[in-house]
Amino acid sequence: MKNYTLSDAVLVNNYIKGEECALSVLIERHKQRIYSFIYSKVFDRDVSEDIFQDTFIKVIRTLKNGKYNEEGKFLPWVMRIAHNLVIDHFRKGNRMPKFEDNGEFSIFSVISDGDLNAEKRIIKDQVEEDLRNLIQELPEDQKEVLIMRMYKDMSFKEISDKTGVSINTALGRMRYALINLRKVIEKNNIVLTN
């Protein structure tokens, strides 16, 4: 039971060294938060369970292959994996998730399903073009990271490797890109909706 007092980073390290029960502790510690996040997007218990299991299969593979280097940020890393798997689920079904408006700009809030009538399709195309134009206004380093992350679906590790900057710098650039986009959208009263 002493495992419950160990930090996530120590448990990850122990698991990588072969202590299988360390992963059980991590899953038990974070399962409610991760499962709730997934369920809040898909609203289906069976699908949520599948995505939850796929999340930890991916976690195990990454840890076993020695590709984990999130510097002690285990939960945000797992949540990012879960988020990406939710997006994959909706892409496969040709539907996009219900993202609630929590005041933060989300690229996913401007994407809709494929069964659009002609008018909605024109509006969707215009929204996407407006968004591309806004992205072109960003500083080059922020634009590069945003395009790699949102359009090329690259991980921050891959972005870090490709651009030659640290993961934290890539994360910072993404954050500033979204902040700057939001400022331009609000300043110019731009409506990105369809």
Side-chain angles (χ1 to χ4, degrees), residues 6 9 43 51 68 74 95 121 154 163 178 180 189:
L6 298 176
F43 301 107
I51 293 173
Y68 174 79
F74 179 76
R95 308 175 312 254
R121 202 174 298 277
M154 293 170 69
T163 59
L178 294 174
N180 287 332
N189 268 340

Side-chain angles (χ1 to χ4, degrees), residues 26-51:
L26 285 165
I27 292 171
E28 191 62 34
R29 182 178 288 174
H30 299 298
K31 72 178 179 184
Q32 188 58 50
R33 187 159 175 201
I34 296 163
Y35 181 86
S36 295
F37 167 77
I38 295 166
Y39 185 79
S40 75
K41 302 299 179 221
V42 300
F43 301 107
D44 182 303
R45 293 198 184 285
D46 292 335
V47 172
S48 297
E49 189 63 38
D50 289 346
I51 293 173

Side-chain angles (χ1 to χ4, degrees), residues 8-24 26 59-72 74 77:
D8 287 356
V10 170
L11 288 166
V12 167
N13 211 17
N14 289 352
Y15 178 72
I16 291 169
K17 290 177 182 171
E19 192 180 305
E20 296 292 324
C21 67
L23 185 67
S24 300
L26 285 165
V59 165
I60 290 166
R61 282 192 188 129
T62 303
L63 294 175
K64 294 270 188 195
N65 291 333
K67 293 183 179 175
Y68 174 79
N69 65 343
E70 294 295 314
E71 299 159 2
F74 179 76
W77 173 66

Side-chain angles (χ1 to χ4, degrees), residues 53-63 77 81 85:
Q53 289 176 9
D54 289 346
T55 298
F56 276 94
I57 288 169
K58 200 162 188 176
V59 165
I60 290 166
R61 282 192 188 129
T62 303
L63 294 175
W77 173 66
I81 291 171
L85 289 171

Side-chain angles (χ1 to χ4, degrees), residues 134-151:
L134 289 173
I135 290 169
Q136 292 306 313
E137 299 298 317
L138 291 171
E140 200 58 42
D141 57 348
Q142 294 173 20
K143 177 171 61 174
E144 179 183 40
V145 170
L146 187 132
I147 289 170
M148 285 185 205
R149 181 75 182 132
M150 302 311 291
Y151 291 101

